[in-house]
Amino acid sequence: MSKVVYEGWMVRYGRRKIGRSYIHMRYFILEPRLLAYYKKKPQDNQLPIKTMVIDGNCRVEDRGLKTQHGHMVYVLSIYNKKEKHHRITMAAFNIQEALMWKEKIECVIDQHQESLVPSGQQYVSFEYKPGMDVGRTASSSDHESPFSALEDEDDARRDLLRRTTIGNGPPESIFDWTKEFDAELSNQNSSNQAFSRKHWRLLQCQNGLRIFEELLEVDYLPRSCSRAMKAVGVVEATCEEIFELVMSMDGTRYEWDCSFQYGRLVEEVDGHTAILYHRLLLDWFPMVVWPRDLCYVRYWRRNDDGSYVVLFRSREHENCGPQPGFVRAHLESGGFNIAPLKPRNGRPRTQVQHLIQIDLKGWGAGYLPAFQQHCLLQMLNSVSGLREWFSQTDDRGQPIRIPVMVNMASSSLALGKGGKPQHKSSLSIDQTNGASRNSVLMDEDSDDDDEFQLAESEQEPEMSKQETDAKKTEEPALDIDLSCFSGNLRHDDNENARNCWRISDGNNFKVRGKSFCDDKRKIPAGKHLMDLVAVDWFKDTKRIDHVVRRKGCAAQVAAEKGLFSMVVNVQVPGSTHYSMVFYFVTKELVPGSLFQRFVDGDDEFRNSRLKLIPLVPKGSWIVRQSVGSTPCLLGKAVDCNYIRGPTYLEIDVDIGSSTVANGVLGLVIGVITSLVVEMAFLVQANTAEELPERLIGAVRVSHIELSSAIVPNLDSE
């Protein structure tokens, strides 16, 4: 047997053909080129139930939390991008174990991405069936995958900041309660900073917390809606421990959240998104003021730096109508940002930020400021409750199982349409956590299917003045007459213009400098390799592919003038399919350059090098948190189709191929008119000879109107 990278018991779950669900334990073994699982710990030449060859084309999909057969499990799915039907799904009862497996598998995948498959040789994965040749071993296929370059930022640091699935996101619009923040400040913000310092002031210190109030005045919210407030504190516990406590709606919540009275799950949308019902316990003249309740979407994500983001937003649901005796409050925005700090005296430390912007409704909220202030502070004090709960808990060495979302009543009431109570049985905490490994069913079934997204780890240290000057004077601008190019989306350089685009300043983005291999330093990108000459905004009833076919498009105009074009077609799925198309042109390709190798290379090379850097200079906190500003290797996050013509390269980026991108779109599409988004495209440089990195081009789109998209007339050939 080959060297074992990692092994242990993990959960397999599914549903039989007759409809009954099952959950059981299987023994997984990860080798340098193989993942396999067995019914029990293998001995001698025992054959596995199923195997998968691990190569550079494999992906680890984070499916989040699932409730299966009375157990809450954290689910991972491993599949090969070229054979998506062949996958292995595994799960764990605690987050730490799932994340350890995810890290180990991704590390093995990363080790294959510099290797090429020898010609004529392919990987072979198999599933054992009775009667197969017993002489065949699990590791009989051991060739490597065609990936030309390493994706890592640092060979010594394999834990890539992979973009994590966040589900479909809330479908409703999210109001923009923050002003446009300073681009320079946002570039300096670390991943721990969920909010821009520019718009917050310290209101008070209470119970060891710093309480901040947003400075921004808004006119689109009712008088009864408070300004956004947040509490910031430090808790001596790991991010996973705090996250599991924050996500729970069981009896332990009474021990740290003084504003919690009752909670239940309304609908589990996916592993990262759920709709919850929540009754608040606000002890402000309870004989006069009616109690409040909430119905809201909660969704979360984990970053591979160890931080968690949990976000809230009110919404209506047919099974969670208004309740007699309660005033339905509206949670405009809220959530937790749970980020690791350096340990102190051997104890873990975590910064917890809790933000709330809520409209408590009713007559008291609009006319009694003391009522609003009291309720907000009571809810924000849950951070100090978390800190005290962990400081008074000794036995935390063994990872606990993820708590199942349960109703907080022995005989719970499920709310039907119109808010009418319906009796519904509820699984207790003792029943859930008391289940042992021996109680799970031993069976086997097929795996499910889905997609995922990842992102690349990026560091952003400061650069010297000499590096900045060198970057600025690197190359002169190309002398191209841009007046002959046009698209249906308007070009406008006005800062406050709407439904338009303009070229982004390359210095807003940091890229790998000349000495990146030695010191990991980033520098402002400076001038672009290509000129952005036009942007089209299309819609249709089906996905729009190969847009260069459209007669008179900017790429065809460029070809007539002897110019080379790169066309990026960002395809947005939905009941109506949208495409935003960017046309970049240059006079010629420099032979032997990294960009020329990218244009003329194969799809494997392109997928391993095409990088996107996103920025959201104007948008709500939830959108900025979801989109982020971490560079992402597009070809490893979503499906990219490359069309190489004599004078152009078209890249069709299918956002619909990724559940992560769909999750972000669920946030963005509803508030697209209030967003300003910047995108930079470049080819990742991995060696000293390829450095420094250069932007292909960058664009800024502002306040896009869906109604302004047009149906394109594409030639059939």
Side-chain angles (χ1 to χ4, degrees), residues 676-688:
V676 176
V677 179
E678 296 190 22
M679 292 174 282
F681 301 91
L682 66 155
V683 180
Q684 178 169 287
N686 290 331
T687 64

Side-chain angles (χ1 to χ4, degrees), residues 83-212:
E83 301 175 358
K84 292 185 178 180
H85 63 280
H86 183 72
R87 62 173 63 214
I88 289 180
T89 300
M90 59 198 302
F93 288 119
N94 64 78
I95 294 176
Q96 293 92 328
E97 183 66 16
L99 297 179
M100 178 61 71
W101 273 98
K102 183 173 185 286
E103 178 184 344
K104 295 293 185 181
I105 296 172
E106 286 176 344
C107 183
V108 172
I109 293 172
D110 294 336
Q111 291 172 2
H112 288 284
Q113 291 183 347
E114 283 183 333
S115 304
L116 294 173
V117 175
S119 58
Q121 296 180 345
Q122 297 180 346
Y123 284 105
V124 178
S125 298
F126 73 96
E127 181 173 1
Y128 175 73
K129 302 291 183 182
M132 288 179 63
D133 182 6
V134 296
R136 181 176 179 178
T137 63
S139 56
S140 59
S141 300
D142 58 357
H143 307 305
E144 294 184 342
S145 157
F147 261 80
S148 58
L150 195 66
E151 172 191 352
D152 296 10
E153 287 289 347
D154 188 350
D155 289 344
R157 184 177 183 270
R158 290 290 191 177
D159 54 332
L160 305 180
L161 290 177
R162 299 174 185 269
R163 206 165 287 236
T164 310
T165 306
I166 61 171
N168 294 323
E172 298 179 327
S173 299
I174 299 173
F175 291 112
D176 182 4
W177 50 266
T178 61
K179 288 195 299 186
E180 183 173 355
F181 60 90
D182 185 89
E184 180 180 355
L185 177 63
S186 68
N187 285 339
Q188 295 173 356
N189 283 352
S190 69
S191 59
N192 292 355
Q193 295 168 313
F195 319 102
S196 171
R197 295 173 182 167
K198 184 177 179 180
H199 307 300
W200 298 88
R201 71 177 181 91
L202 182 65
L203 189 66
Q204 60 178 282
C205 292
Q206 177 177 303
N207 296 332
L209 306 178
R210 291 183 298 155
I211 309 295
F212 292 85

Side-chain angles (χ1 to χ4, degrees), residues 618-673:
K618 186 174 183 180
S620 69
W621 170 70
I622 291 180
V623 173
R624 296 202 310 268
Q625 281 289 291
S626 299
V627 176
S629 60
T630 304
C632 170
L633 290 175
L634 272 180
K636 297 183 179 181
V638 296
D639 289 342
C640 294
N641 183 34
Y642 302 90
I643 305 169
R644 177 70 163 98
T647 60
Y648 70 89
L649 173 67
E650 178 176 335
I651 307 172
D652 293 341
V653 182
D654 183 12
I655 304 298
S657 64
S658 166
T659 55
V660 177
N662 276 323
V664 175
L665 282 174
L667 295 174
V668 171
I669 203 70
V671 292
I672 192 171
T673 57

Side-chain angles (χ1 to χ4, degrees), residues 343-349:
R344 181 174 295 173
N345 299 326
R347 298 182 64 89
R349 297 167 65 243

Side-chain angles (χ1 to χ4, degrees), residues 1-7 29-36 38 42 44-46 53 108 112 137-143:
M1 180 179 289
S2 302
K3 177 184 176 183
V4 174
V5 177
Y6 199 63
E7 61 181 321
I29 294 181
L30 175 64
E31 298 177 11
R33 292 183 175 87
L34 197 75
L35 175 65
Y38 304 77
D44 301 326
N45 292 324
Q46 181 180 345
V53 174
V108 172
H112 288 284
T137 63
S139 56
S140 59
S141 300
D142 58 357
H143 307 305

Side-chain angles (χ1 to χ4, degrees), residues 147-283:
F147 261 80
S148 58
L150 195 66
E151 172 191 352
D152 296 10
E153 287 289 347
D154 188 350
D155 289 344
R157 184 177 183 270
R158 290 290 191 177
D159 54 332
L160 305 180
L161 290 177
R162 299 174 185 269
R163 206 165 287 236
T164 310
T165 306
I166 61 171
N168 294 323
E172 298 179 327
S173 299
I174 299 173
F175 291 112
D176 182 4
W177 50 266
T178 61
K179 288 195 299 186
E180 183 173 355
F181 60 90
D182 185 89
E184 180 180 355
L185 177 63
S186 68
N187 285 339
Q188 295 173 356
N189 283 352
S190 69
S191 59
N192 292 355
Q193 295 168 313
F195 319 102
S196 171
R197 295 173 182 167
K198 184 177 179 180
H199 307 300
W200 298 88
R201 71 177 181 91
L202 182 65
L203 189 66
Q204 60 178 282
C205 292
Q206 177 177 303
N207 296 332
L209 306 178
R210 291 183 298 155
I211 309 295
F212 292 85
E213 182 181 49
E214 186 188 23
L215 295 177
L216 179 65
E217 289 281 3
V218 293
D219 54 8
Y220 55 78
L221 295 177
R223 178 180 177 180
S224 57
C225 188
S226 67
R227 290 187 182 185
M229 295 179 65
K230 66 172 179 175
V232 182
V234 176
V235 179
E236 289 191 344
T238 65
C239 292
E240 284 72 26
E241 290 173 326
I242 298 171
F243 171 74
E244 290 175 358
L245 208 58
V246 166
M247 294 288 285
S248 68
M249 285 286 218
D250 58 19
T252 59
R253 197 172 188 102
Y254 293 124
E255 301 179 28
W256 62 270
D257 188 354
C258 61
S259 65
F260 178 79
Q261 182 184 30
Y262 168 87
R264 72 177 186 91
L265 175 67
V266 177
E267 180 185 351
E268 187 178 41
V269 180
D270 57 39
H272 290 260
T273 309
I275 300 173
L276 307 178
Y277 174 70
H278 189 152
R279 289 180 183 172
L280 300 174
L281 184 63
L282 306 174
D283 55 353

